[in-house]
Amino acid sequence: MTKNDLDPPTEGTLILHLTQLAAAVERLASGPSPAELELTAFTPARAAELLGKTENWVVENIQADRIPHTYIGKSPRMTADHIRWVQAQGERVPNKYAKPLSAARAAA
């Protein structure tokens, strides 16, 4: 380290850093960038890939209002929350009254 590294910053340097910081905060506060929107608004084709379904299945269910969706202009889109909802609807928990697997095999 040199002696200059330990010197306090000049007024000009502080103003430059504050200006850069203010610009960064304004960019963050201005909302999501187009790249961020692309990550959170999936086309039916991409949603179908994520769900393991066909694009036709996704489009038909959107048109019938059976699955949650949104529109960007006239184009249907699904957010990550919508996709999680569809996945959760397929979840099945075991029946607590079902016979244990070993008892079912013994009866067969």
Side-chain angles (χ1 to χ4, degrees):
M1 282 187 158
T2 65
K3 182 177 182 327
N4 291 340
D5 291 337
L6 299 176
D7 290 341
T10 64
E11 184 177 337
T13 304
L14 287 174
I15 291 173
L16 174 66
H17 288 300
L18 287 174
T19 305
Q20 291 173 339
L21 181 61
V25 168
E26 286 181 27
R27 278 194 306 273
L28 288 173
S30 68
S33 68
E36 289 170 306
L37 285 176
E38 179 61 31
L39 292 175
T40 57
F42 300 104
T43 63
R46 180 69 178 124
E49 287 177 32
L50 294 169
L51 290 168
K53 298 287 187 179
T54 64
E55 182 178 358
N56 190 48
W57 183 91
V58 172
V59 170
E60 285 180 0
N61 282 282
I62 286 173
Q63 290 172 345
D65 277 337
R66 286 188 286 243
I67 59 176
H69 57 281
T70 188
Y71 282 92
I72 299 177
K74 292 184 178 182
S75 303
R77 296 288 186 264
M78 292 182 72
T79 65
D81 287 338
H82 295 152
I83 291 170
R84 282 189 211 94
W85 183 89
V86 173
Q87 290 171 330
Q89 296 311 302
E91 182 177 336
R92 298 292 182 254
V93 294
N95 181 346
K96 68 180 181 179
Y97 300 108
K99 292 180 182 177
L101 187 57
S102 59
R105 284 188 183 160

